[in-house]
Structure formats: structure tokens, C-alpha cells
Amino acid sequence: MTTLLYDGSFDGLFTAIFEVFEYRYKDVEITSRERFHQENIFAEIHEVITQTEKSERVLNKLEQNIGKQGIYQLLKVFLSEDPDLENLILSAVRQSVKNPENNILENFADNDVLKISKICKSVNRERHRMTAFVRFEKMRDGVFFSKIDPDFNVLPLIRKHFHDRYQDQKWMIYDLRRNYGLLYDLNDCEFFYPDEKIILHNYQQKFHDEENNYQILWQRYFTKTNIVERKNMKLHIQHVPKRYWKYLTEKW
Amino acid sequence: MNFDRLKEKLEILADAAKYDVSCSSSGGTRKNKKGALGDSSASGICHTYTEDGRCVSLLKVLLTNHCIYDCAYCVSRSSNDIKRAAFTVEEVVDLTINFYRRNYIEGLFISSGIFKNADTTMERLVRVAKKLRLEENFNGYIHLKSIPGASDDLMQEAALYADRLSVNIEIPTESGLKLLAPEKNRQDMISPMRYIQKGIIQYKDEKKILKKVPKFAPAGQSTQMIVGATNENDLQIIKVADHFYKNFNLKRVYYSGYVPVLEDQRLPSLTTEVPMLRENRLYQSDWLMRFYGFKAEEILDPNVPFLDLEMDPKLSWALRNLDQFPVNLQTAEYRTILRIPGIGVKTAQKIVSARRFQILTMDHLKKLGAAVNRAKYFIDFNAGNAYLKYLTDKNFRKLLIGGSSSKFHNQFSQQLTLF
């Protein structure tokens, strides 16, 4: 058994996959350095140094077999932070190399492919929910600020959506769990990585004067648009799971 | 802006608009212009859900609940003693923009009580849309309610600024409409719809020849009808929906289970339950027509003109057409697989993909997401299927109902005890 340790990046992972083929490893697992705990003392450790040429070679080859859409699916698996993500992606690459004529990601009868498809579905669902449940709050400096805490690391998947939509206002989306965010300053839309966790106690004090009014209007609208005779909390919670409530203005 | 007054108006006019079921923000694309606000894509987004479980994707309000008509089923009817209010054009625009900026909504759905006459009302609605597009550079979604009897000129303008237009046909049957809304007539509802339909077709033709054609109601038209306020049957309702899909190219027909809000001899009493299960079955039938290739005539039998409340319409169809089963998963055409109870569009697509790689078994079917408790009786695998012996069983129906429980079972048990 050989354990390949990589730096936790997408390119790092595909460098590692390249080296699995390069060194013809058979019995192998890939783990990020951060998550690695030495359990198997008999495992041989192979340190991977991220090289974009290597990762690009794998990705280009892969794109010929499974298309851009297929790569996008593997990216979603990567962003899912699933404990098994490296080995699932490795399995997909191996199958695709063996079977280049077909898009192996459509072979839903294979356990790894099915698992990939399930993870993609979950990640997609949360990606979609983030386009829905982000709530911006206007700050005194005019920036529309939002905090999120998704189960999967979906921020990279929603950048384009918000960039397309909000071009005439400054905005920021901050992932509390992963301590990084997206900032749009009317020109560029880039990720930012603060050195320390941003402290958000009392940040309501920095609200723009009009912010509270619109929040109240939205809350009143939310209440009034409900039809009491048709109340169905089970359905409500199914659509708006409770873990999101604390970030939703209407669920104050 | 007087915030307290605005809040009061919003409460009144959201409350009055909530019985309109249309909620979708999908079907149209409107790309953002450089540096402007808003971008609509075909899929649409539900931003939250009310406690009754309905999606909130648009700010849905009436411009005013003052109304000259006295339709029995409507809370805003002129003879109803309620608080009245009217938004100014500026107020609606301000709410839409500020809600949109905070990512609460995809856009605006605005309807109105009819004040003065159809054209005055329609003109005001059009002004809201026009201001949003031209002055605020807003590219979010706008759904305008067409006012029955509005003139063609106003409909033309409405279609240039709105993504979707709709006229509610309210009551499925002509006679029901006469009874409950004697001042309204079907023709006034149909004519703006016909105008927009022609416009959409013309726009599509022009687009083939010319590069730059203005958008004309790009998300199409929809309508809704109230179910259970009069004594129409489900077959009539489905036929009406089918008629509108076929002859008016409607994007959606919505069904609204009547919520008793007013005491009136012509209406079901205030204690009548909202027919939610019936409404659910109608939506299922609607889906069968739009996505599963079923014809209206296949869904209901003229001898039994009501949908089965105990089972979904597809299962019900399958039971009436046992000769079409079993279906072999390995060889059957996609559209045949779509007709198997318990198999949806996505699962059917996955089956067709996966079977190119290997021979499918019951175990695969489960993993692919089929509702196997229903599907298993209707499928033939290459390796055979022991459940097929039930297909000819006299008690097959009972077996099927026993094997699945409706999500409405506990909640609306009163309705089920009728059967």
C-alpha cells in the first residue's frame, strides 16, 4: 500500500493522480496532508509536489473522454469535502482511461460512479440553495454583506451567479465555516482569505440606516403571503431546512 | 417615504395577492447589461417558502385591492368590508429593487383589483414594469397580470417590458363563471391572451430573419383556475388545461384549491376543507401531459371523471392499461419507460444511460432512484421478475395501495375517510 500525500488543492490532487500512473502504483490511496493521520504503519508514503503541467495533462485527457461537464462533476466531488473524495476521483479517472470511448460517469450501475452522482446531486442542491438563501444586508459603507455556512464548499460554484446578477452594487459573501469569502467591488470579483476569522458580533451596528426598514418589510411580507388555512410545517421545513434559518432574514 | 404607511400597504396588498398561485420565475432569460442590476435564467429560483410550503420567488402583490367587480370567490370583491389600499408606482418599484438587491426575490409579480376600468388599471401596471426596466435598468423577472378587457395597445407595451403575462380564467366552466362572477365574461379573458400569443409567434418569426428584435413576453403566458368552488369534475379541468396548452401555447396552467374565505350561498361553506389532495392530483396530471407524453384523454376515463385520490394518476392509468405491461428495462424505448409507475424523468434517463454498460437488475433500479415499491410490479428484467405474477391478481389494486402511503395521509385524513 502506498499513500500519496498532496497539498489539498485541485491541481495537487490531479498531480497525485498523474503520479499514480507515472509510478504504476496499484494498491494506493491519496490523502491531503492536512487530513492525514498515520494509521497504517506499513504504508509507504509518497509526497506529491503540485505541478500544474502534470495535473493539466490528466485533465486534458479526461476532458476528451468525459467532456467539460464531466470535469465539472469531478470538481463538485472535490468541493464536497467527502472523506473519500480522492479515491472516488481516482476511480473515475482509472475507469475513464480504461474505457475512453464512453463517458464512464454515465455508468450509474457502478458503485463509485453512483456515489459520484449522488455527491454531485447533494452539492448541486446546496449550490442552488445558496443562490436562494444568501441574504444581503446593506452596511453603512454601502457594501451588501452576507454570511453563509454551507455543508459543502460551494462558494466557487456560485461566484458567476452573483457576479452576473449584482453588477451595480458592492457585495461580499463570507463563508463562516471555511473562513474565506468573495468580494465584488464594482470592478473585480475575487476570493479573499482573511488571516484571522472575521469577528461578527454586533455587526448590526454597522447597518446602513435603511437596512432595518427593509428587513421589517420583508418579514411582514413573508408573514402576510402565507395562507394559514394551508399550513404545512413539514413541507416548509423540508424546503427550508432548519440549519439555514439563522441566516434568513424572514426567520428572525 | 413614510415607512409605517408603506408597511401597512404591503401587508394589505400582499395578503390580498396570496391566493394567486403562480409563483415561478422560470422560463425566460434576460441577461444583465454591463453594470446593471439583475439577471434572469431559465431555471428560476425559489428564495424561501411560506409556512404553508409554497415557494416564494417573486414579490407578489396587488397594485390595489380597490375593485369595481363583485366576484363571489374573491376577497377583494367590492361588497366585502375590508381595509383597502393602493401602492404608487414608485413604491412598488422601490420595494422590488430593494428586495432584489438583498437577494430576497427573483423579481415582481403584480396583479391588481380593477379600479375605474380595465385600461386604466392595465396602464398603471405597465408603468411599473416600464419604470423598472427603463429607469432602474432592472433585468430581473417581471410577471404582469393582464386585466381582462385591456386594449391591444396596452398588451403590446406590457409584453415588451414583462417576462410573463397571465390572465386568470378563474372558474373552469363557463356556467360556473356566470354564477360566481356575473360581471365577467370569458371572451374578455381570452382576447388579451390571444393577442399575446400572436405576438409571441410573430416575434419568433422575426427573430429568424432579424438580428435585433425586442423581447416580447419571453417567458410566455400562464393562467390559473380555482378548483372546488363550483361543481366541475376533474375531466373538465384537465380538458380546459389541455385546450390552453394546445391552442394558446401556455407555459403553465395553475390549479388553486378553493380556500373558503367568504360566506356566500353560491359557494362551499366556510368550514369546507381546502381540497389539497385533489389539487395535488391535478398537478400530477398536468405533469403527465407536459413531461410524460400523456394525452388528456388517457388520464381520465369519461365514466369516472374524477381523479383517484388514493393513487397517483400514472399508477391509476397503469391499472387501467395492464396490457401495456410488463416493460422490459433493457430494450424498451425511453417514452415507454417513462410510463412505468414509480419512474420519473430523471430515473428514466439514467436507466437508458446505464443499460448501455450492463444488464440492469432490481438492485440497480433501486439505486437509480426509482420508487421500487410501485415500479417492481410493472417491469421485466432479462433475469426475470418474481413480482410479475401479481399483475394478473384480482387484488392488485389493494396490494399497490397497501404498499405506499400518501404524504397527505395524516394531514388531510378527513378527505381519505370518504373512501
Side-chain angles (χ1 to χ4, degrees):
Chain A
M1 173 71 118
T2 309
T3 300
L4 278 75
L5 292 184
Y6 76 109
D7 61 4
S9 71
F10 195 62
D11 275 331
L13 173 57
F14 279 88
T15 308
I17 290 173
F18 183 91
E19 294 186 354
V20 169
F21 287 91
E22 187 180 20
Y23 298 106
R24 295 171 203 274
Y25 290 131
K26 286 280 173 302
D27 186 18
V28 66
E29 63 165 6
I30 305 176
T31 309
S32 76
R33 271 183 208 106
E34 199 186 341
R35 268 205 302 219
F36 177 64
H37 313 283
Q38 187 146 17
E39 280 161 10
N40 187 347
I41 52 164
F42 300 105
E44 197 179 311
I45 305 295
H46 173 98
E47 293 270 355
V48 176
I49 295 152
T50 302
Q51 289 167 269
T52 38
E53 311 87 73
K54 286 187 177 179
S55 79
E56 271 169 21
R57 272 177 65 184
V58 182
L59 287 165
N60 287 339
K61 176 77 196 140
L62 209 51
E63 197 180 314
Q64 289 167 19
N65 299 357
I66 61 173
K68 276 208 166 64
Q69 222 26 54
I71 304 281
Y72 192 49
Q73 272 173 275
L74 296 185
L75 174 65
K76 283 178 195 161
V77 175
F78 179 75
L79 294 174
S80 74
E81 300 172 348
D82 188 284
D84 208 25
L85 76 96
E86 289 89 355
N87 299 314
L88 284 173
I89 294 174
L90 176 62
S91 160
V93 176
R94 276 181 161 156
Q95 290 190 52
S96 187
V97 169
K98 227 185 267 172
N99 192 349
E101 278 84 42
N102 285 308
N103 180 355
I104 52 92
L105 292 179
E106 287 170 8
N107 180 15
F108 300 104
D110 177 82
N111 278 333
D112 285 345
V113 171
L114 193 69
K115 193 159 178 211
I116 286 173
S117 129
K118 283 204 169 128
I119 290 174
C120 282
K121 196 174 165 189
S122 304
V123 173
N124 268 336
R125 188 188 299 126
E126 190 151 53
R127 185 204 68 81
H128 186 79
R129 277 179 174 156
M130 281 303 123
T131 64
F133 294 160
V134 156
R135 293 287 176 265
F136 287 119
E137 298 177 303
K138 191 176 181 181
M139 309 306 283
R140 225 178 283 156
D141 58 6
V143 175
F144 284 79
F145 179 77
S146 172
K147 43 197 187 333
I148 60 171
D149 179 20
D151 283 353
F152 308 117
N153 182 14
V154 293
L155 205 47
L157 303 176
I158 57 174
R159 175 169 175 262
K160 183 176 183 313
H161 172 86
F162 284 100
H163 184 226
D164 286 345
R165 176 164 297 217
Y166 297 109
Q167 292 196 13
D168 71 342
Q169 68 189 43
K170 293 181 183 174
W171 54 265
M172 188 191 277
I173 302 173
Y174 178 59
D175 184 328
L176 293 163
R177 192 182 302 191
R178 294 165 190 86
N179 189 36
Y180 82 116
L182 256 176
L183 171 66
Y184 174 70
D185 64 359
L186 299 182
N187 293 307
D188 300 305
C189 182
E190 301 295 344
F191 293 105
F192 65 92
Y193 304 87
D195 295 332
E196 286 168 41
K197 263 203 169 14
I198 299 182
I199 308 292
L200 291 166
H201 305 306
N202 302 326
Y203 87 112
Q204 283 94 338
Q205 286 165 9
K206 291 185 195 154
F207 274 175
H208 192 278
D209 291 341
E210 66 183 33
E211 181 55 27
N212 280 321
N213 283 350
Y214 284 108
Q215 293 201 1
I216 292 168
L217 288 171
W218 174 240
Q219 288 157 359
R220 294 312 301 153
Y221 174 75
F222 180 74
T223 309
K224 282 294 175 181
T225 201
N226 178 44
I227 298 177
V228 182
E229 294 88 335
R230 299 180 58 130
K231 184 168 173 161
N232 186 348
M233 283 310 274
K234 194 179 156 214
L235 189 60
H236 174 68
I237 289 165
Q238 186 185 321
H239 286 312
V240 193
K242 282 190 171 162
R243 64 194 161 98
Y244 298 109
W245 285 15
K246 57 178 180 241
Y247 304 107
L248 291 172
T249 314
E250 64 271 22
K251 302 296 285 180
W252 82 103
Chain B
M1 202 171 291
N2 180 344
F3 169 69
D4 288 324
R5 179 63 189 141
L6 183 63
K7 188 175 84 167
E8 196 182 359
K9 284 188 192 181
L10 180 64
E11 289 178 348
I12 294 170
L13 295 168
D15 193 73
K18 70 186 176 189
Y19 299 103
D20 215 303
V21 265
S22 165
C23 65
S24 103
S25 53
S26 60
T29 49
R30 193 176 282 277
K31 287 273 148 257
N32 197 357
K33 302 179 193 88
K34 186 105 196 93
L37 177 67
D39 189 85
S40 314
S41 62
S43 61
I45 297 173
C46 303
H47 282 269
T48 191
Y49 292 80
T50 51
E51 288 192 352
D52 58 34
R54 291 176 313 143
C55 141
V56 179
S57 123
L58 302 167
L59 168 63
K60 192 191 294 179
V61 287
L62 295 191
L63 186 61
T64 176
N65 63 343
H66 289 285
C67 194
I68 55 173
Y69 289 118
D70 201 32
C71 308
Y73 48 80
C74 180
V75 271
S76 301
R77 66 192 266 190
S78 59
S79 64
N80 200 16
D81 182 23
I82 47 162
K83 274 194 192 170
R84 305 277 169 174
F87 278 129
T88 64
V89 169
E90 288 71 26
E91 284 167 340
V92 179
V93 169
D94 183 79
L95 281 171
T96 308
I97 294 291
N98 275 291
F99 280 8
Y100 194 90
R101 288 198 182 285
R102 286 166 178 78
N103 206 41
Y104 299 161
I105 52 168
E106 285 296 284
L108 174 68
F109 173 107
I110 190 159
S111 175
S112 184
I114 295 160
F115 55 98
K116 257 191 195 162
N117 56 45
D119 272 358
T120 315
T121 313
M122 193 70 220
E123 192 268 341
R124 197 74 60 86
L125 292 178
V126 171
R127 244 199 292 159
V128 171
K130 195 171 177 174
K131 193 173 166 71
L132 277 168
R133 295 283 189 236
L134 301 184
E135 290 175 34
E136 303 288 337
N137 283 316
F138 178 67
N139 295 301
Y141 194 85
I142 301 178
H143 180 155
L144 289 190
K145 188 49 63 80
S146 319
I147 304 300
S151 62
D152 288 355
D153 289 353
L154 280 167
M155 291 312 299
Q156 170 74 23
E157 228 187 337
L160 289 178
Y161 302 113
D163 292 285
R164 175 166 289 181
L165 289 154
S166 64
V167 189
N168 290 351
I169 58 165
E170 315 286 16
I171 304 293
T173 60
E174 195 95 47
S175 58
L177 188 68
K178 274 242 147 56
L179 178 72
L180 298 183
E183 299 145 313
K184 283 190 180 166
N185 71 66
R186 190 65 102 224
Q187 204 41 52
D188 280 353
M189 298 171 176
I190 300 281
S191 69
M193 221 188 264
R194 186 62 82 193
Y195 183 82
I196 298 299
Q197 184 208 13
K198 282 188 188 147
I200 291 174
I201 293 169
Q202 192 186 342
Y203 160 79
K204 271 192 187 135
D205 289 344
E206 280 174 23
K207 210 178 167 193
K208 282 178 206 151
I209 313 163
L210 301 164
K211 242 190 189 156
K212 243 183 135 48
V213 185
K215 280 194 186 303
F216 192 90
Q221 301 193 82
S222 65
T223 191
Q224 78 168 39
M225 46 189 152
I226 300 168
V227 173
T230 46
N231 56 0
E232 69 287 327
N233 64 41
D234 293 334
L235 183 60
Q236 284 171 305
I237 294 172
I238 290 172
K239 287 274 191 186
V240 172
D242 188 48
H243 170 79
F244 279 104
Y245 284 130
K246 278 195 186 127
N247 300 314
F248 288 83
N249 314 89
L250 284 205
K251 278 276 158 68
R252 283 292 298 271
V253 173
Y254 291 93
Y255 311 88
S256 165
Y258 177 68
V259 182
V261 281
L262 299 162
E263 193 66 69
D264 189 305
Q265 287 178 344
R266 292 168 288 174
L267 288 167
S269 80
L270 281 176
T271 53
T272 312
E273 267 190 73
V274 183
M276 291 179 58
L277 187 51
R278 184 178 177 201
E279 181 189 290
N280 180 250
R281 293 284 182 247
L282 282 166
Y283 277 111
Q284 289 174 326
S285 309
D286 190 88
W287 245 255
L288 290 184
M289 292 196 281
R290 290 190 296 139
F291 302 115
Y292 290 80
F294 281 83
K295 295 200 180 85
E297 306 81 62
E298 290 181 286
I299 294 167
L300 272 177
D301 200 315
N303 301 320
V304 193
F306 282 95
L307 290 162
D308 197 327
L309 294 183
E310 285 184 308
M311 56 174 69
D312 69 76
K314 195 180 179 188
L315 184 57
S316 179
W317 170 84
L319 280 182
R320 291 196 309 270
N321 295 277
L322 287 176
D323 57 308
Q324 316 244 352
F325 297 99
V327 167
N328 187 314
L329 274 201
Q330 211 62 33
T331 54
E333 270 186 77
Y334 170 72
R335 56 195 181 96
T336 312
I337 293 178
L338 263 187
R339 293 192 163 221
I340 302 171
I343 291 184
V345 172
K346 285 213 172 116
T347 308
Q349 286 166 349
K350 278 187 184 163
I351 289 168
V352 175
S353 289
R355 72 184 182 187
R356 291 189 284 123
F357 294 88
Q358 62 208 86
I359 308 252
L360 299 178
T361 65
M362 188 76 84
D363 200 36
H364 290 130
L365 194 64
K366 208 173 278 175
K367 287 185 186 165
L368 294 179
V372 177
N373 62 339
R374 270 169 287 158
K376 67 185 174 194
Y377 300 108
F378 299 96
I379 293 170
D380 204 2
F381 296 99
N382 281 13
N385 175 7
Y387 289 99
L388 287 180
K389 63 172 185 249
Y390 296 106
L391 258 184
T392 49
D393 194 313
K394 272 189 295 195
N395 294 320
F396 189 36
R397 183 189 162 90
K398 245 190 204 152
L399 185 75
L400 278 165
I401 295 172
S404 65
S405 66
S406 164
K407 57 189 168 187
F408 293 98
H409 207 284
N410 294 323
Q411 239 174 329
F412 309 108
S413 54
Q414 221 175 320
Q415 292 180 336
L416 282 171
T417 52
L418 290 169
F419 295 86

